[in-house]
Amino acid sequence: MMLMGRGMQQSLVACNVYVSAGGKDVLQQRILIDLLLKAQTLCCRDAVVVHAYADPVYNRSSFHLAGRADRIAQVGSILAVTAWNNLTPAQRQQIVGRHDHPTIGRIDHVAVMPLNATGVAEGAISAAGEAARYIGDCMQKQLDVSVLFYGTA
């Protein structure tokens, strides 16, 4: 899958990956720690993990990334695919068709937004949309799951 052009390499975006696992049990805690370590390893000077939070009350965790749009697209897609791949086939089957949030699936939501100040440049909006589309396309192709796009994606 090809990443976008020069606008992607110069635009800064934030990406929030929400995962339906809040660390209630040891298996979830291990998965979340592994995801955080993977995110930190994948990030370089062009991307950073800004914040990670596990909420056991809602059984949901979030990973907030920021950086160059093309790099965030790569890191975000790897995190989303890795989170889903941590499920056993039985867990995946159990999740399919469930709609009782917050346990919709291992990946609840992935949002990508431009990081420019007010008066966001058109290029930044396009780069955020392209990064979101890249992440969703990776999930669809590698995991054979449905992805609902919105906004500029």
Side-chain angles (χ1 to χ4, degrees):
M1 188 173 306
M2 191 78 165
L3 278 181
M4 307 74 198
R6 192 149 174 78
M8 281 280 290
Q9 294 175 357
Q10 295 177 342
S11 297
L12 297 178
V13 300
C15 176
N16 301 334
V17 179
Y18 296 97
V19 178
S20 287
K24 287 184 177 182
D25 60 45
V26 175
L27 176 63
Q28 284 187 7
Q29 291 170 4
R30 186 75 244 156
I31 288 170
L32 294 173
I33 289 169
D34 288 347
L35 285 172
L36 180 57
L37 290 172
K38 183 175 260 312
Q40 290 172 326
T41 301
L42 291 168
C43 289
C44 57
R45 71 172 194 257
D46 296 327
V48 295
V49 178
V50 177
H51 182 264
Y53 177 72
D55 186 347
V57 174
Y58 289 100
N59 196 34
R60 190 176 195 200
S61 296
S62 58
F63 298 88
H64 302 273
L65 312 168
R68 218 173 65 189
D70 60 335
R71 192 70 187 128
I72 294 300
Q74 291 172 330
V75 174
S77 65
I78 291 169
L79 276 184
V81 168
T82 300
W84 180 260
N85 283 335
N86 278 320
L87 293 171
T88 65
Q91 288 170 317
R92 289 180 197 153
Q93 190 60 39
Q94 191 177 33
I95 285 169
V96 174
R98 287 183 69 176
H99 301 288
D100 54 337
H101 185 79
T103 53
I104 295 170
R106 183 61 70 179
I107 301 95
D108 271 355
H109 183 83
V110 178
V112 182
M113 348 356 108
L115 279 179
N116 296 20
T118 47
V120 175
E122 185 62 35
I125 293 171
S126 296
E130 287 182 71
R133 177 55 72 168
Y134 179 88
I135 293 168
D137 287 347
C138 284
M139 292 173 65
Q140 287 178 325
K141 289 177 182 164
Q142 294 179 35
L143 303 174
D144 193 30
V145 297
S146 296
V147 174
L148 302 175
F149 294 98
Y150 63 93
T152 60

